[in-house]
Every structure is written in C-alpha cells, then in structure tokens.
Amino acid sequence: MNDGANDGGERRFGPLGTVLVIIPTYNEAENIEPIVTRVRAAVPDAHVLVADDNSPDGTGKIADELAAADDHVQVLHREGKQGLGAAYLAGFRWGLEHGYGVLVEMDADGSHQPEELPRLLTALKGADLVLGSRWVPGGRVVNWPRSREILSRGGSTYSRLLLDVPIRDVTGGFRAFRRETLEGLGMDSVASQGYCFQVDLARRCVQAGHHVVEVPITFVERERGDSKMSRDIVVEALWRVTAWGVEGRANRLLGRQRS
C-alpha cells in the first residue's frame, strides 16, 4: 500500500486539479505570515485557506491582510476554538464547495516543511491519499525530546496494529487528498476533534480501499508559539482508537460466525 504509482498497474488516476492548502490556526500570529509565504513560494499555483478559530492574538487579522494582498490566499473565520478536526472538516467542505481537486492538510507552526509539498503532490498523481511520514525510511524529526518521539511512535504503532491499518505514520497531519477520496469518506459522521482525527481519516481511507502512499518528511518542532498538544487530546485518541479496534474485531468475528 505504501509504495508504487498505481494499484498493480491496473488503475489509472485522473489529473489532480487545483490544489488548496488548508492551514488551521489558533493563536499563530507569529507563524502565519512566514508559513503562507513559504507555501506560496514552494507551490506557486496552489491556493491557501487559513481556517482561523477566532484567535485572540490577531491571527485572523494578519491572515486577512495576506488575503487582501494575494488572490491565492483565502480566510475562513470560525466562531471559536473547536478542535483541529473541526477546523479541517470546515476547510475540506469549503474547498470541495469551491471546486478544488486536491486538499492538503498542513500545520501553521512550521513543523511541516512547505518545501516538501511538491514531493507529496507528485506522489498523489498515482494515489488517492499521500501521507508525509516521519516513520518511514528517510523520514525524521528534529528538536523533539525522546519522550515525545516515543509517544508518537507508540501511538502510530498502537493504532496500526489495533486497527489493522498498514500505515507507518497513521497520526501524522501533513497529507494530500484527492477530492474524490474525501467525498467518499463520510465526513459528516467524523466526530473526533483532536489529533485522533488523523487516525480516523486514515482508517476510513484504508477501509474504503483507497491507495495510500507514504513519503518521507522532516518534521521540525515549532520555534514560536505554544503547542496545542494536551493530555485530553492523547486520552481522546487512546479511547477512540481502542473503541474502533474492538468494534472492528467484533464485527469480523460476527461476520465469520454468520458465514
């Protein structure tokens, strides 16, 4: 699932269409202008959507100024902080409504390198979903404490094994989707809000039979601003992944018994 340009040479993928890079923000005033500038330089034909959760630090105002100066930048103002998953879902819906062919997830804090975007988009020419992966050969993290690397690797391994999802970095958030992929995932039923949102979409893609490719990335710890990671986010991910895994195993067992 994680290599090759098509499924056994049988499938042919259509053109990608216009790219929309969705950047959710909450209190990223120090980061939003540099990251948008880097995205525009790395993929000049792509459009950027800043999905701001009414940041008290004025991130939304800075984004508006960027949009006023560049017709490739748009801003989606949301009422308040509702979680990463909700921000991405709102961005996906906006992008689909406006006819974009590719929708990209990217953090605002610089941890995802815009300069690596062309590699993800090239891989998407032969895939339904491309994941920027820290845990495949060539991938790495920079400036992380050992404890956080263990937590991230452990979370991906736990999710992969429990959900039977053959993806090395199932929790990563640097991703490129074809619009048809997102349209078939049942986004209206996605309830997870934190980083577990990434696991949920990945498992849905696998279950739907989509061709998923991982490409190595260098993940750099943020230099400015505060991380949004919290104990509640970790707890949500743990219980949701466990519940999905138990439900999946129970369904498979019942299916075998009926047959």
Side-chain angles (χ1 to χ4, degrees):
M1 171 170 293
N2 297 327
D3 54 12
N6 53 50
D7 289 334
E10 298 176 1
R11 182 169 172 196
R12 293 292 180 267
F13 294 88
L16 295 179
T18 307
V19 176
L20 179 68
V21 180
I22 302 168
I23 304 177
T25 56
Y26 184 78
N27 287 349
E28 297 287 358
E30 296 177 286
N31 294 314
I32 189 59
E33 183 173 358
I35 200 66
V36 169
T37 300
R38 289 171 64 190
V39 171
R40 294 288 291 116
V43 280
D45 292 334
H47 291 213
V48 176
L49 176 68
V50 179
D52 185 65
D53 277 7
N54 196 23
S55 299
D57 72 347
T59 301
K61 181 177 182 297
I62 297 172
D64 283 337
E65 293 170 355
L66 295 172
D70 186 345
D71 63 3
H72 277 49
V73 179
Q74 306 290 333
V75 185
L76 177 62
H77 291 282
R78 290 161 42 74
E79 293 183 356
K81 188 177 181 182
Q82 301 172 43
L84 183 72
Y88 272 130
L89 288 172
F92 289 155
R93 293 188 182 102
W94 188 95
L96 294 175
E97 289 170 2
H98 287 78
Y100 288 93
V102 174
L103 297 101
V104 175
E105 298 182 19
M106 172 179 279
D107 287 350
D109 60 13
S111 56
H112 299 147
Q113 307 295 292
E115 295 74 21
E116 296 182 316
L117 254 176
R119 190 188 318 150
L120 271 69
L121 296 175
T122 296
L124 192 62
K125 293 178 180 179
D128 298 299
L129 164 63
V130 173
L131 310 178
S133 179
R134 299 160 290 184
W135 312 132
V136 296
R140 66 191 185 107
V141 296
V142 176
N143 296 331
W144 263 18
R146 182 62 177 167
S147 59
R148 185 169 177 190
E149 181 173 345
I150 291 172
L151 177 63
S152 181
R153 283 184 180 272
S156 279
T157 299
Y158 181 76
S159 300
R160 182 174 73 250
L161 295 177
L162 195 63
L163 302 176
D164 194 24
V165 176
I167 297 172
R168 302 295 298 180
D169 193 354
V170 71
T171 62
F174 193 12
R175 303 179 169 191
F177 295 85
R178 286 178 175 266
R179 69 171 291 125
E180 312 90 75
T181 306
L182 282 173
E183 287 172 334
L185 292 185
M187 289 190 295
D188 289 342
S189 65
V190 174
S192 47
Q193 295 302 309
Y195 287 86
C196 186
F197 168 81
Q198 310 295 6
V199 181
D200 195 359
L201 289 195
R203 78 182 181 99
R204 288 171 183 247
C205 281
V206 172
Q207 290 172 350
H210 290 308
H211 185 51
V212 182
V213 171
E214 291 185 87
V215 299
I217 62 166
T218 297
F219 184 99
V220 181
E221 177 66 350
R222 70 161 61 229
E223 295 181 354
R224 299 179 295 271
D226 298 322
S227 172
K228 308 305 187 293
M229 182 64 73
S230 68
R231 181 178 178 275
D232 288 345
I233 289 173
V234 174
V235 170
E236 184 208 14
L238 180 62
W239 79 257
R240 284 193 183 276
V241 168
T242 302
W244 292 330
V246 171
E247 179 184 16
R249 279 165 166 71
N251 288 339
R252 286 194 293 272
L253 178 60
L254 289 173
R256 285 196 296 269
Q257 289 176 344
R258 292 193 185 103
S259 63

